[in-house]
Every structure is written in C-alpha cells, then in structure tokens.
Amino acid sequence: MQKASVLLFLAWVCFVFYAGIALFTSGFLLTRLELTNYSSCQEPPGPGSLPWGSQGKPGACWMASRFSRVVLVLVDALRFDFAQPQHSHVPGEPPVSLPFLGKLSSLQRILEIQPHHARLYRSQVDPPTTTMQRLKALTTGSLPTFIDAGSNFASHAIVEDNLIKQLTSAGRRVVFMGDDTWKDLFPGAFSKAFFFPSFNVRDLDTVDNGILEQLYPTMDSGEWDVLIAHFLGVDHCGHKHGPHHPEMAKKLSQMDQVIQGLVERLENDTLLVVAGDHGMTTNGDHGGDSELEVSAALFLYSPTALFPSTPPEVSRFLRTYSAATQDLQAKELHQLQNLFSKASADYQWLLQSPNGAEATLPTVIAELQQFLRGARAMCIESWARFSLVRMAGGAALLVAACFICLLASQWAISPDFPFRPLLLIPVAWGLVGTIAYAGLLGIIELKLDLVLLGAVAAVSSFLPFLWKAWAGWGSKRPLATLFPIPGPVLLLLLFRLAVFFSDSFVVAEARATPFLLGSFILLLVVQLHWEGQLLPPKLLTMPRLGTSATTNPPRHSGAYALRLGIGLLLCTRLAGLFHRCPEETPACHSSPWLSPLASMVGGRAKNLWYGACVAALLALLAAVRLWLCHYGNLKSPEPPMLFVRWGLPLMALGTAAYWALASGADEAPPRLRALVSGASMVLPRAVAGLAASGLALLLWKPVTVLVKAGAGAPRTRTVLTPFSGPPTSQADLDYVVPQIYRHMQEEFRGRLERTKSQGPLTVAAYQLGSVYSAAMVTALTLLAFPLLLLHAERISLVFLLLFLQSFLLLHLLAAGIPITTPGPFTVPWRAVSAWALMATQTFYSTGHQPVFPAIHWHAAFVGFPEGHGSCTWLPALLVGANTFASHLLFAVGCPLLLLWPFLCESQGLRKRQQPPGNEAEARVRPEEEEEPLMEMRLRDAPHHFYAALLQLGLKYLFILGVQILACALAASILRRHLMVWKVFAPKFIFEAVGFIVSSVGLLLGIALVMRVDGAVSSWFRQLFLAQQR
Amino acid sequence: MKDTDIKRLLYTHLLCIFSIILSVFIPSLFLENFSILETHLTWLCICSGFVTAVNLVLYLAVKPNTSSKRSSLSHKVTRFLKCCIYFLMSCFSFHVIFVLYGAPLIELALETFLFAVILSTFTTVPCLCLLGPNLKAWLRVFSRNGVSSIWENSLQMTTISSFVGAWLGALPIPLDWERPWQMTVERKCSICRSLHVPRMGLGPVIR
C-alpha cells in the first residue's frame, strides 16, 4: 500500500509541475491571429486612382500585367552562393573548388549574354527558415511566426489572403508539381497538380525525377498560366550529406539542366523565376536565422527584356505601396500612421504634379520604406503578445511545486510522515476544486479551458497540503531546516540557475556544463579529503589537537577517490569532443563525428570508424556482463538473465548490421538494393522488439537470484571420499580424521532433526544483495540499445562514455555516503545535483542543442526508411526519444543513487577480507562467513526504504523543477529581449519537454524498484511456505 | 608570540602584494612595448618570477618553521632540487587538469601552460617554502582540523582562495563582449590575482 502511495505522491507533485508549465506556456507562446479578409481588384489599394490607370484593360487588376504567364521554379534550400557566378580570374588567389560553387553555369551565361533580360538577387528571408514557414511567407507576404515552426509536419491550409488564391480568383490556371506541403497549404487551389512526398529527407531523387517527368510535357501542352515546380533534391542532399559532398554538385548540375531546358522553351510573354526558399548552414541544416540560412537566391529571366526603360524604383515603389496599405488595416500605431499619411500626402502631390516627380520620388520611397520597416518591427513585436497573468500564475505554480518538493523531501524521512492523509486530502480537494470550477463555468456558460482547469486543480490541492504541513510539521521546527542544501552545492546550483538568464551563457551551456560538472567532481574529491575520509587517521592526528574529526576509519585509500575523479574528468572531456555548435557562435566548429557514417567520403576512414563503433558496442555489452558477473547475478537461471546472456548480443549484432547497411547503402549493387532496404527496415524494429521483450521479461520475473535448495546436506557428503585400510602417514591422518569427525557430526545432526521434524531445507540464495541494482542496470541497458540505434553511429562512443561516467560517479558518491543501519536512509543533495548535471552534460555530448534546427530529424527514419505516411505521432516519438535520450536514461537510473552505497559495502568488505596471508583461511569457511547484507539492509527496513525513495524522487524533481522555473523566469523577464525567440523560448521549450520526459522516467524507475521489491517479498513468502511444508 | 606572528604575517602579505604591483610597473622601464593587456604572456612570466623571488626571500628572512634538524649542504641541495621537481610536477599536473577542464589541447598550449605556472607560483611555491617537499604535511594542512599554526592557516586560506579565484575567472568567458582583453588565460589570471590579493590581506586580520 505504501508503495502505491509513494508513487502517487510523486505523480501528484509532477502534476502540479505540469499544470504550472502548461499555464506558463499558454501565456508565453501565443500564436498569431490570422485575418481572413481578402483584397480584390474592385477595391484599389489607396485613395485616388492609380498612376497607370489600367482598370479597364482585360486581365488587369490594380496594374496592367507585364507578363501573361509565369514559371516559378522553387529550388528548396538554394543558397545565394550556390547560384552566384564564379569569377575564376582573381589574381593571387587559387581558384576554390567546392562542390556547390559555380554549378549553375546557365544562370551565369544568361546573366553575361543577356544582362537586360535577367537579374540575380540575394533575397533575405525571415526566420524560422523551415520550408512550410517560408512557403507561407512567400505566398502571403506576411511574417512566419514562431509557433508555426512546431506544426511543420501537420500543416494546415492557409486562410489568409495569398498569392495562389488571388491567382485562381483572377481566373488563372495554376499548375503545381513537387513538394506535397503545398497540398496541405492550398487544398484544391490548383487546376492540375502532381504531388510527391517530401518527408523522407534521405531520398534525393524521387521528387525531382517525378517533376521532370511532368514538367516539359505540361509546359508544351500550354494548359497553364502559372506553373510552379518545387524541387526538393538540393535540400535533401544538404540534410543527408551536407553542401560539401560531391552529391551536391550532381544535384546542382541537374538543376542547371532543368533551368537550361526551361529557358529554351520559354515564350516571349513568360517570366521565369528561380528562387530558393531559404539557405542552409555548413552542415546542410536549416531552420534558424544565421546568415547562411537566411540568404537565398532569386533569379528572374524573360525572353523579353526585363528592364528596358522603366526605372526599377517605380516597380519597387508600387510594390511597397500596395504592401503598406494592406498592413495598415490591421495595425494602428500613431507614429506609423503619421508617417504613412505624410508619405501618402507626398504621393498624392506627386501624382498631381508629374513634372516634379523625379525630385520627390526618392523621399517618398524613403518614407515608405521607413514605414514598412516600422510596420514590420511592430508586427514582430505584437505577434508575440504575452498574457502576463498566466505567465505569473504558471511561475507561481512552479515555485509552489518546488516548495512542496523541498518541504516533503525533508519531512519524508522523519518517522511521523503521514503518507496517506497527505496524499488523499490534496487529491480530494483538487477534485472538489476541479468540479466546482467546471460547474461554475457550466453555469456562466464559458468555454472550458483545460489548462486553467489543471491549474485550478493544482492550486486547490496544493493549499490543503500546505495547511496540513504547517499544522503537522512546520510549526514545530524552525524554518531554517527547510533549506538543508549544503553551501558548495547551493552555490553551484545557483550558478547553474543564473546561467539561464544570460543569452551568451545559454548559448555556451554546452561548454559550461562540463566545466561545472568537472568542478563538482573535484569538489567531491576535495570534500572527501577535507572530511578526512581518504587518509588514515594517524596522519591527521596532531599532538596539539586531541579530538580527531574522523570517527570511522576511511573506507578507501586516498588514491581511490582521486583516480575516480580523474577518470570522470577524462570521460567528461572525451564526451565533450562530440560537441555540436549552436549557430550563433561563428568561431566554433561542430565536431565532424556527429554526422552519420554514410556522409563520409573516404572508404578507409569509414571502415575504421565503423570498427570503432562496433568496438564501443561490444565494450558496452562486455561491461554490463562483467558487472553482472561480478555481483553474481548473471549465474541466475531466471529469464531476464538468460536474456542478458543471449538476447543482448543478438541486439548488438542487429545494431552493428544495421549500421553497416546504413553507412554503405549507397554503394550496394543495384540488385541487392531491395534486400538492403528491407533489412534496414527490419533490423531496427527487431532490436526494438527484442529490447521490449527483454523489459517485459524483466518486469515479469525481476528477482535474479540463484537458489540452491537443500544445499546444506549434500555438501558434506561430497567431501567423503572412499578411503580403505589403516592410515599410514601423518598426511593420511590429517585427511581422514576431519572427515570422520564431520561424518559423525552429520549423523548426529541428522538423527536429531529426524526426531524433531522432517528434514529441513537449507536454502542458500546468492546475489540477493544486488537484486535491485541488477534489475536497474539490466533495464538501463535494454533501454540504451534502441536509443543508441536512433543516434548517428559514432554517438555509440558517447553512450559507452555515459555508462562509464555514471559508474564512476556512483562509486565516487558512494565513497562519501555513510551507510546508516537501520535507517533512515538518505541520498545527499550533492549526489542528486551531480546526477542531474550529468544528464544535462550528456544531452549536449550526444550532439544536441536546445534549438530547433539542431534536432536530429533523421531519427524518424530509423526502421522506417520509406517515411511514415500520414502518421505523425510515431516520427514525433522517435525524434523525441533521440533528443531526450539522456534525460530518460538518467531519470530511470536515478534510484541507483540510493542503492549504490549498499553495493559498495561488499566491495569494501571483500577488499579487507583478502589480504594475501589468510586467503587459505577464507577458502576454508566461505559460506559460514557473514556475507554483507548489501541491499537487503533496505529490505530490512521497508518503511525507511520507501521514505528514502520518495525523498530521492522529490529531490530529483526539485533540482529539475528549479531549472525549469529559472528558464520560465528568464523567458518572462527577458521577453522583450532581442534573443527571446532565438535562445530563451527554445531553451524553455526544451527544458519543459525534458522535464516531462525526466519525470516520467523517474516514476518508471521508482516503479521498477517497487516491482522488484514486491517480487522479492513474494519470493520470500514462497520460500517460507515451501519450508513449512 | 601570537601578536608578533600576526604582524610578520601582515608584512609578508603586504610585501607580496607590493611585488605584484611592482611587476606591473618595473618591466616597462626595461622592456619596450610592455603592457599587461598586449604582452600578457611576458607579464605572466615576470609576475610569477617576482612572486617566487619574494616568497623565497621571505622564507629565508622569516623562517617560520625551524624544524629542520640536519643542515648539511648536501641535504639542502637535495631539498632544493626536490622543491624544483615538485614545482615542475605541479605545473604539469595543473596543465593536465586545465586540459581536462576544457582548455584546448594543442592551440593555446603556451597560454595554458603559463597559466599553470602562475597558479603554481601562487599555490605550490608558498607550500614548498612553508612545509617543504613533504606531501603528507600538505595533505594534513588541507584537511579539516589539520592546521597547527597561524602560518599554516594563512597558507590554507590563500591557496584555497587562489583556486577559487582561478575558477571564478573562467565564468566570464562565454560572455560575448568581444573585448581584446577577454582572453581566456589572461582573464583567469587577473581575477585570480585580484581575489588572491584581498584574501592575503584579510588572512591575518581575520585571525
């Protein structure tokens, strides 16, 4: 019963956190309101008639059309320098030959031969530079908003006024071919359309070849006015290989041929537009707002001269003007209005007196441009309109939840902690509050807001808890005991929290976290030394100081902790080599090891790396098996251990085979291609299935002990070896006499027992001491393998480091935690903070960054090389598991912090037992020796055990909760900061999702320990039953 | 006895601070183009040299520990050589620790090493002067209740505050102020020094 209440209490605290996060998010991330008014040809954009009075002409709207037909070729991720003409005759500099430079030679030729017919521009696009946002921006002329960035894979139709809508309403036939994102954005808008799936970024050619099949026939048929072709190959090539790969040159040359073919087919009334929707970084990704991502190419060409006589200013002027009027309807800002009225007055004056036009034109243009810039800035600001009340409420709830954690974690280990009333009363009150709120809303007929409902439930359950806590505990003790975090840990925690309030520190967190972790580790070592636990006490006792601080002798040698510390530092540093840069730091270079092996060009290096990855995999496997072997759990015949013995190598084999296929898939001969694609679909699923079945086995039979029933009786009998004849020598006597003695002893004992009852069953159970941690370690390994598969191959080295690092850290922490029998058990704050810090460090060292373009999208295709169709939750799950793998692993492994000191108990004892001299003696009485109780100490005091688990969970939740609180506060305080959408908001979102993943993982981990505990209890019960029979 | 000790301690610390200030001004008389910000590496060398010299002079003049019984020449020489080896070892181990902490392995190696040298002069050299090349004594001083005299207490405080100062010096690195003086090593050192100095002054006063 108490187990369930521990879990439910933790779940309730998590719920309070979730309510706070949800409330804050609903106030912080607001979407832009989409207007549904459309402009039409009948309403001219401004007062008065337009200068080129063209209303009467057929096919004209506000202005006469210069071209009757347009071919728009949208090349996804066509960066400006891809299209830039290469002038190779620069003296003094060697000609640079990069795969992406100078491949669009037809553009260059046209620009040189027909300068009046073509123009090439660098277009600055608005971030976020994801394809759907860019398409929205290109067709509506508005700003893409931040919140849209998340809905990239479930896009919705555009309801705002847009280009396609206007074209269709003007009676033009719009033909589309290419990326099927357009189908979602403009359902039913095209007279003819050929859509191709866009989500599979590994597929370079399907979309492009599909377009090419349709493009020329459609063009020749002449049944179109606007022809849009959206090519995806360049973008996919960037995602898969990066721009520096030879494949990119091939793709760009293909685009060049397309443009060449189109130019040859163009008629005189047609305009050709070649545009990129965004650029790409040096890694080939996009989504952010670095210079390379926002500079896209825009190329215009027509067989008739584009710029014969009219100055380009006029067209720009008109474009500005129409754009400006549309913006004005929506937003009123006094200053801008003044500016605009002045500009339009000037414009009117300009229209009335055409003779002075040349002089006033530039000022009008400048004014209008200024107006536009102002309007744009205002829009950016106003589309992020915050609801301060909700933000404050969310932050307050988070504070409250942190307070609960702190209070309850102090209270939980005291014996008078009322488990059940503390849980039941808040839940009851929360339910009452929820029902009352819902009823109130029902009476006044308002819409039910789930977020607010959750918040009301959280508050109404929190208040009675507080009252009860005050009555039961708080009034008796001073408040100072509430803040038990020791000084250095508090200081480091404060540093960590202060980091969230500065954008440079958030950007540099990937480097700052290992630094903090290193400091923490050294601090732990120094603290151990300072407390005198590393040195023998005789060194420390000074003649002057009679009282020595050390009451218990040091459990380990001084070099032991130092070795652990240095090893940890080394691991941290090595893991730091797998570092991915945020885009904001220009001087930083991402580690080249983060890219998948498939993108490597050299064959030999690839093979070497592949060998290293498989070696890391095997090392991980061997380490886990060695560990289990060391504590003896591997000998158990239970199904989980059988799985560890046979299933784990199978999983490793599957992983290695999948890597081999994935890294060499392009080199496979064509007739094997079907086999390869089939295998790359089956293998990851098989590994995941094996892991799932292993976890199921573990849950079914978590007790991994070796039972030798009736071990007492036969042991003595085997000693008896036949010996006949009288003893001749002293050696024979030495051999025979003890045997005779034992035999007699056995006989007597047997006779005695037979008179008492039936023969007793002596049961020897081994490895009970590590039964909890064995289950935890097995579960962690089983979890790690599928997560490993979702990452790029070389991240497996980081996973190996992760296991090594946590192992060393656990040992280091265990060296400083005294075992208090019979309880209460506690896990110190420093252990929990170090654990949380290491989770963050691993998040960064597995190549992640808290920004959206850094998400590893390719994880969605592991096991699904063909994409997912319309299903969106599965890729989201895969990508989420990739991103938050470290959060999950460390949260599930959190109970190890409590268990490990008990494991280390045996180590210390064993070390002392085996000085070389009395080894023989130890061999004589191996079973009679008092075995260390280890984790059975926890079982001996179940109340303390559960309280310690609850405390551990609360402490971990507190550390995580304080982090998310700091993020929320930073985001709300700095909400007008320049970097809020670039740094703070993504950081908050990542922290929030990470918190949710971590809390779920924590609950799972604690539940696993509870399950093992339950199984051990029932196992004991069965044993007693068997003995009684 | 205690008062005289405190007075001597105060004077030694004042001298140390004075030597650091001198190391800023004196080299500009001899060297051209000397300034702390631009030729910081030279300054680091000079500063560490000054501090070492002052420490040695103070050690010879004040002699806080008079426990050495044997005073043959060979003993003194071995002791001195041992001290040198300890100093070098501490430099290298600091270097290793900095690299483990995240300093680049190859580029800026000279800067990192000089930083290790100056941190050693602030921490190892006083230890060597006061306690001699006796690792057990060091370990004793840097543990709780291990201090037996006011000199050792001051040594403990200054050394720990030097480490803390060096650690704090790393904090402003991520700030993108883009000032030329914001060099990693440089910054670490200046803060290390600035924290070291007041604590050296405070040490005797607190007692």
Side-chain angles (χ1 to χ4, degrees), chain A residues 29-43:
Chain A
L29 296 177
L30 282 188
T31 46
R32 180 162 62 91
L33 195 70
E34 291 185 326
L35 299 173
T36 48
N37 355 8
Y38 296 99
S39 56
S40 69
C41 293
Q42 281 74 41
E43 300 169 50

Side-chain angles (χ1 to χ4, degrees), chain A residues 661 671-680:
Chain A
L661 287 181
R671 62 204 159 82
L672 288 183
R673 202 148 276 179
L675 184 70
V676 165
S677 67
S680 63

